[in-house]
Amino acid sequence: MFRKILIANRGEIAVRIMRSCREMGIDTVMVYSTADSNALHVQLASEAYCIGGPLPKDSYLNMQAILTVALETGCEAIHPGYGLLSENADFANMVEEVGLKFIGPCGATIDALGDKANARRLMIEADVPVPPGSDGILPNAEVAIELAEKAGYPVLIKAAAGGGGRGMRRIDNAEQMIAMFNEATLEAQNAFGDGSLYLEKLIENPKHIEFQILADQQGNVIHLGDRDCSWQRRRQKVIEETPCTRLSDQLRNEMGEAAIRAIKAVEYEGAGTVEFVLDKNNKFYFIEVNTRIQVEHPITEMVTGIDIVREQIRIASGASLPITQSEMQIRGHAIECRINAEKPSDNFRPSPGKIKNYIMPGGRSVRIDSAIYPGYEISPYYDSMIAKIIVHGNNRSHAIRRMRRCLEELIIDGVDTNAGLLYVSLFEQSMIRGTYDTSTLESSLDDLLEYETIFHLPDSAELNPEEDNELVLPEER
Ligand code: ADP
Ligand code: ADP
Ligand code: MG
């Protein structure tokens, strides 16, 4: 096992990774930017080094500086977290070239899956269903129109290098395609340094269902169940839950097996997520693989009892998976809410500033992953997500009630947050029934924001009364 690991990230995920390391007896080294000298990941670290200015390119994306710190402090491995360098194949290769271990799959695999058009091709070969669409990169708008007519409008043109919900456009007809194609290419070029586009049929009002995967160096691959991440705004996840109510055991098994086939299509090691959209008729289609730890991984930890970061580190050090697929058990239900420093009523304008005070919820089966503290100044340079509230319950009703209770306890003074919107969301009819899809939050946003302002709750369906008295033990693992 490693004795010392460098964590090449910041915020809640840097803290979360450090926690697993400490529990494993592994020393950690943190890096930070000049804007982050008071950040929690630095305060909690036993060793931390400033590597550059506030802009990510000057610090958290400065590969040379990060490698220098890792080598000089005697680290044996680097954990990249999510975002930043986590899906950068060049970085993964450089880490290995200087004789350190990159905690994640190898550069070639990150490349093969990170090019989303190439990933589509690999999935077709591996017999994993994909939405109808292009075979690789679109050469021009004319070819895009031909393919769109074959697949049927509406379609999405998507940046092959895209991520974080960006670099995608809905196209409803050929005229729009001509107008949008160059614009989308330019936008992708600016955002990702690569203007390549591919095309997929737009699956209307789907659920976003993803599977958490673990793969060891011995070639064993298992999945840890599904996550329903359909409560989205601008194609970014806001509330996630597991298990998804829509999936029968049979469909869950089928999708889980497809996810494992997807991972086995490449040489994979570590944690990963295979993302699908599920249409109204319960047909599922692959959309992408994220070759890293994901923001919403804690809900899977809640229902499986497995520490996914710990497993990432064990796998990187050569250990085999701790369980087989048939030993994997899901208990109860878990939900995550992402708390962002933003003002929903002002078009979700980011709200950086000083946290004057806060009270985080607590109690049974509640987990807070956060990197704020009273007096902490939220920097405008980075992501607006400041905390994740994760709850576990005996069943779905129980988990929803518990999350409502947590949001009632939560107080954050000094910056605006989306907590009120999250709270009213947990009373929305399709949320209560579990029938919501990726369009629901946006289409009900005006109503939800109004409820939030007048502090009144939507006429809500009852939670399942039978579940209220159900007891599934043990609740916590
Ligand atoms: P998830 O939230 O499911 O883990 P996301 O795709 O939202 O996955 O990415 C997690 C984090 O990484 C977010 O902070 C997101 O903004 C960032 N991110 C992901 N891909 C990119 C990318 N290509 N460019 C910039 N940021 C990205
Ligand atoms: P990113 O890399 O930005 O996470 P994804 O390909 O995972 O991009 O898509 C992000 C979101 O966009 C999905 O969660 C889903 O809501 C929507 N989406 C992507 N592809 C499709 C599709 N073919 N049909 C319908 N919705 C889609
Ligand atoms: Mg995605």
Side-chain angles (χ1 to χ4, degrees):
M1 182 49 64
F2 307 116
R3 285 181 308 262
K4 200 171 187 182
I5 291 177
L6 182 138
I7 300 170
N9 216 295
R10 65 177 304 283
E12 68 86 16
I13 194 65
V15 173
R16 189 262 168 272
I17 295 163
M18 186 192 65
R19 287 178 171 148
S20 282
C21 290
R22 289 232 168 115
E23 289 168 10
M24 297 171 83
I26 298 170
D27 290 333
T28 52
V29 175
M30 292 285 185
V31 290
Y32 64 99
S33 74
T34 51
D36 265 349
S37 47
N38 293 321
L40 195 64
H41 75 280
V42 181
Q43 305 234 347
L44 291 180
S46 43
E47 242 181 292
Y49 299 89
C50 183
I51 51 167
L55 292 178
K57 72 172 173 52
D58 296 328
S59 47
Y60 297 107
L61 297 177
N62 186 342
M63 304 190 228
Q64 207 58 60
I66 292 168
L67 289 176
T68 304
V69 172
L71 290 171
E72 287 189 357
T73 55
C75 288
E76 298 157 76
I78 298 188
H79 196 305
Y82 57 68
L84 299 173
L85 293 171
S86 62
E87 292 179 284
N88 186 312
D90 291 338
F91 182 64
N93 289 332
M94 280 168 73
V95 171
E96 303 277 321
E97 275 158 25
V98 298
L100 305 180
K101 176 71 185 152
F102 178 80
I103 300 177
C106 66
T109 297
I110 295 176
D111 254 343
L113 296 170
D115 174 343
K116 293 166 78 176
N118 187 57
R120 246 179 87 80
R121 202 161 28 214
L122 289 171
M123 293 312 133
I124 295 168
E125 283 167 24
D127 200 24
V128 176
V130 299
S134 65
D135 184 11
I137 305 299
L138 299 166
N140 53 48
E142 288 67 39
V143 173
I145 290 169
E146 265 172 48
L147 290 170
E149 267 155 22
K150 240 171 56 194
Y153 287 105
V155 298
L156 281 173
I157 47 178
K158 302 173 74 169
R166 295 178 308 144
M168 244 175 268
R169 259 152 215 249
R170 176 193 168 116
I171 309 282
D172 288 284
N173 53 53
E175 293 75 60
Q176 263 182 14
M177 185 73 83
I178 289 169
M180 295 286 204
F181 191 88
N182 291 333
E183 204 182 295
T185 304
L186 272 178
E187 198 180 282
Q189 178 67 42
N190 283 333
F192 310 110
D194 175 358
S196 312
L197 301 177
Y198 68 108
L199 180 142
E200 266 176 20
K201 182 171 175 60
L202 182 123
I203 308 301
E204 304 228 38
N205 303 338
K207 266 195 176 289
H208 171 116
I209 307 286
E210 59 184 34
F211 280 75
Q212 176 69 55
I213 298 286
L214 288 177
D216 65 22
Q217 295 177 7
Q218 291 69 40
N220 304 303
V221 183
I222 58 169
H223 73 77
L224 303 182
D226 65 279
R227 294 187 287 252
D228 182 343
C229 310
S230 308
W231 200 256
Q232 300 185 351
R233 178 178 167 266
R234 299 209 169 148
R235 305 202 165 95
Q236 280 192 324
K237 303 157 188 168
V238 179
I239 298 177
E240 303 99 341
E241 64 172 310
T242 180
C244 171
T245 46
R246 260 272 283 287
L247 302 188
S248 63
D249 286 346
Q250 192 198 331
L251 182 54
R252 179 171 295 109
N253 286 339
E254 250 176 68
M255 292 181 77
E257 277 164 23
I260 288 174
R261 279 203 304 284
I263 289 293
K264 286 190 168 166
V266 289
E267 214 163 289
Y268 203 92
E269 75 161 83
T273 303
V274 183
E275 297 190 334
F276 298 99
V277 285
L278 179 69
D279 77 8
K280 288 270 177 266
N281 303 315
N282 283 344
K283 276 191 72 166
F284 63 90
Y285 305 90
F286 167 90
I287 50 175
E288 67 162 343
V289 180
N290 290 137
T291 57
R292 54 169 163 85
I293 190 80
Q294 235 162 335
V295 174
E296 58 276 18
H297 76 279
I299 56 174
T300 299
E301 297 186 325
M302 286 289 213
V303 298
T304 60
I306 292 172
D307 176 340
I308 297 171
V309 170
R310 180 190 179 93
E311 292 313 319
Q312 286 186 295
I313 296 169
R314 287 184 66 255
I315 290 167
S317 76
S320 313
L321 294 183
I323 55 166
T324 61
Q325 190 68 59
S326 58
E327 286 164 348
M328 211 272 302
Q329 279 188 42
I330 301 290
R331 303 220 180 189
H333 201 93
I335 307 180
E336 172 180 274
C337 281
R338 300 189 187 196
I339 311 285
N340 299 328
E342 64 191 12
K343 192 166 185 182
S345 60
D346 189 6
N347 200 25
F348 295 83
R349 183 173 49 78
S351 176
K354 204 184 198 94
I355 305 275
K356 293 204 191 94
N357 200 3
Y358 74 68
I359 295 173
M360 282 291 165
R364 189 161 164 74
S365 299
V366 174
R367 167 173 168 181
I368 308 292
D369 278 21
S370 164
I372 60 170
Y373 58 85
Y376 175 63
E377 178 104 24
I378 299 166
S379 160
Y381 292 102
Y382 310 112
D383 212 271
S384 61
M385 192 181 75
I386 53 172
K388 306 187 301 204
I389 301 178
I390 306 112
V391 302
H392 186 239
N394 292 324
N395 52 51
R396 191 165 185 273
S397 301
H398 190 191
I400 290 177
R401 285 186 196 283
R402 184 161 272 159
M403 183 62 87
R404 290 174 180 170
R405 185 271 284 173
C406 283
L407 291 166
E408 286 160 7
E409 286 177 24
L410 177 75
I411 295 175
I412 299 181
D413 282 341
V415 298
D416 291 306
T417 77
N418 63 338
L421 175 62
L422 293 167
Y423 185 65
V424 296
S425 295
L426 294 172
F427 291 84
E428 198 274 339
Q429 303 260 355
S430 65
M431 169 59 79
I432 287 173
R433 299 197 175 106
T435 54
Y436 62 91
D437 60 51
T438 58
S439 70
T440 308
L441 172 56
E442 288 196 18
S443 59
S444 55
L445 196 54
D446 288 345
D447 286 344
L448 292 175
L449 287 176
E450 196 177 324
Y451 287 124
E452 191 206 343
T453 357
I454 59 176
F455 216 78
H456 179 83
L457 293 172
D459 285 334
S460 112
E462 286 293 307
L463 286 167
N464 182 346
E466 274 164 40
E467 279 192 349
D468 272 353
N469 296 319
E470 191 179 285
L471 191 62
V472 182
L473 287 173
E475 181 186 317
E476 200 166 16
R477 300 196 37 180

